[in-house]
Amino acid sequence: MDSGKLVSCLDFRYITDVLTEEEAYEILQKGQVGKKEREEQMLAHGYPAYTTSCAWLGYSDTTLKQLCSKALEDGWTRFKVKVGADLQDDIRRCRLIRNMIGPEKTLMMDANQRWDVPEAVEWMAKLAEFKPLWIEEPTSPDDILGHATISKALVPLGIGVATGEQCHNRVIFKQLLQAKALQFLQIDSCRLGSVNESLSVLLMAKKFDIPVCPHAGGVGLCELVQHLIVFDFISVSASLKDRMCEYVDHLHEHFKYPVIIKKASYMPPKDAGYSTEMKEESVKKHQYPDGEVWEKLLAAQGN
């Protein structure tokens, strides 16, 4: 699709104070330069991914070590650890994983909205020794100014703020960018609800020079978001600096066109469509209340 036609698909209402149609068109036109080379780069090497599968809260140290060792063997260089329930536990687990992956590999932290604003700053000051690239969702996802306060406080520690998986429209993202409330923008393909809305956010992020590192995982989110990251690199950002996409290694077996990961990177999908079609057998098994999975669950409850 040419730049003019693509711009005509976007809704600029409420965001023209930061991004006009003319600016969006100019960004896309500039993205034409080197586009072929970036396409070839994606086909050859894919888009960098990071893993969240190693360090969920509640995992024992033994499980964490096993999963981390396996991930390192498989070539992963970017890891995310969940934090926020207990400070001493966080310190122990972060030290464990940092010691395993070494000082050169990338570590991110995710608090899943656990803290009030002052608590987030205080807690992250204690975890700064482990050199996290970012703290994700440190407070309520609706608190734009709270994220801005945390962001400002963590700059001297070299820790960025990442958020966006709960943001449901371009206007919220506009305000997060205006308030300098994040250093890493995390779109969610389902939460934003359309390719069109996602594209307007990608373009705003480009204007503010903020890397987009999408939220993925769940049921089909990796499949959904892969198209957006490849488009962002080829046509909008033209950069992989500080950019990576989340990957969680489960539930892909239920999809007809599952995501392909090679050498810790998303490989561009070759099939037409948005990769969301589930296998009929999987849908049938999980259909409520007559599917095989539900029948077993309900029978177990009855007993």
Side-chain angles (χ1 to χ4, degrees):
M1 195 180 283
D2 68 66
S3 302
K5 200 165 188 178
L6 191 53
V7 167
S8 74
C9 296
L10 306 182
D11 188 350
F12 288 88
R13 284 177 304 168
Y14 315 128
I15 64 169
T16 55
D17 50 331
V18 302
L19 184 74
T20 63
E21 289 188 41
E22 293 74 23
E23 287 173 317
Y25 178 80
E26 190 179 329
I27 289 169
L28 291 168
Q29 282 296 94
K30 283 181 180 175
Q32 297 295 316
V33 180
K35 189 173 178 180
K36 188 67 182 169
E37 290 77 10
R38 291 192 296 276
E39 284 180 3
E40 289 169 0
Q41 184 180 342
M42 284 291 99
L43 289 166
H45 305 291
Y47 195 98
Y50 71 85
T51 178
T52 307
S53 299
C54 298
W56 294 94
L57 283 177
Y59 278 2
S60 67
D61 287 1
T62 303
T63 300
L64 194 153
K65 285 178 185 175
Q66 288 172 346
L67 292 172
C68 198
S69 294
K70 179 68 169 63
L72 287 165
E73 284 173 24
D74 292 340
W76 290 92
T77 60
R78 303 171 184 89
F79 299 79
K80 190 163 81 180
V81 57
K82 299 284 185 175
V83 297
D86 179 272
L87 179 57
Q88 293 310 311
D89 189 50
D90 285 349
I91 290 170
R92 194 192 78 257
R93 291 165 68 251
C94 289
R95 180 169 288 122
L96 192 157
I97 196 167
R98 177 51 89 188
N99 287 341
M100 286 194 74
I101 69 175
E104 302 304 318
K105 292 185 174 61
T106 306
L107 182 66
M108 290 81 72
M109 298 179 184
D110 185 356
N112 288 113
Q113 313 162 28
R114 284 266 183 169
W115 304 315
D116 275 7
V117 172
E119 187 182 16
V121 175
E122 187 181 335
W123 202 296
M124 286 311 299
K126 302 278 177 50
L127 297 181
E129 65 174 289
F130 306 110
K131 304 294 182 191
L133 177 66
W134 76 53
I135 177 61
E136 184 173 331
E137 287 202 315
T139 192
S140 165
D142 300 324
D143 190 356
I144 294 163
L145 297 182
H147 275 88
T149 299
I150 295 165
S151 175
K152 187 177 181 181
L154 296 185
V155 165
L157 298 175
I159 303 170
V161 167
T163 195
E165 68 181 80
Q166 303 293 336
C167 295
H168 54 276
N169 64 47
R170 64 194 181 281
V171 180
I172 304 296
F173 276 116
K174 180 191 80 166
Q175 293 180 39
L176 284 164
L177 289 164
Q178 286 175 310
K180 298 180 180 176
L182 46 69
Q183 284 73 46
F184 300 91
L185 188 149
Q186 298 176 310
I187 57 171
D188 181 291
S189 190
C190 287
R191 190 77 63 177
L192 280 171
S194 72
V195 174
N196 310 58
E197 193 81 354
S198 297
L199 296 187
S200 62
V201 176
L202 294 181
L203 288 160
M204 284 193 290
K206 168 65 177 176
K207 184 179 174 184
F208 281 83
D209 196 27
I210 294 292
V212 176
C213 301
H215 171 245
V219 187
L221 275 179
C222 297
E223 280 71 23
L224 280 160
V225 83
Q226 61 183 332
H227 305 272
L228 298 173
I229 54 177
V230 171
F231 174 81
D232 185 38
F233 174 64
I234 292 173
S235 298
V236 182
S237 73
S239 172
L240 291 179
K241 187 179 185 303
D242 289 333
R243 287 164 172 83
M244 66 196 93
C245 187
E246 186 171 24
Y247 176 70
V248 178
D249 187 17
H250 64 256
L251 303 172
H252 302 289
E253 68 275 11
H254 297 298
F255 289 83
K256 285 190 176 182
Y257 308 102
V259 66
I260 297 167
I261 297 285
K262 285 184 183 174
K263 295 182 180 177
S265 295
Y266 277 84
M267 300 310 294
K270 302 281 189 67
D271 298 294
Y274 208 39
S275 308
T276 55
E277 190 176 355
M278 297 185 81
K279 293 176 181 175
E280 284 183 35
E281 182 187 349
S282 290
V283 175
K284 196 174 178 182
K285 275 186 180 178
H286 291 82
Q287 197 162 325
Y288 180 83
D290 303 318
E292 182 185 316
V293 172
W294 282 103
E295 282 187 339
K296 283 180 182 175
L297 283 169
L298 295 169
Q301 283 181 357
N303 292 335

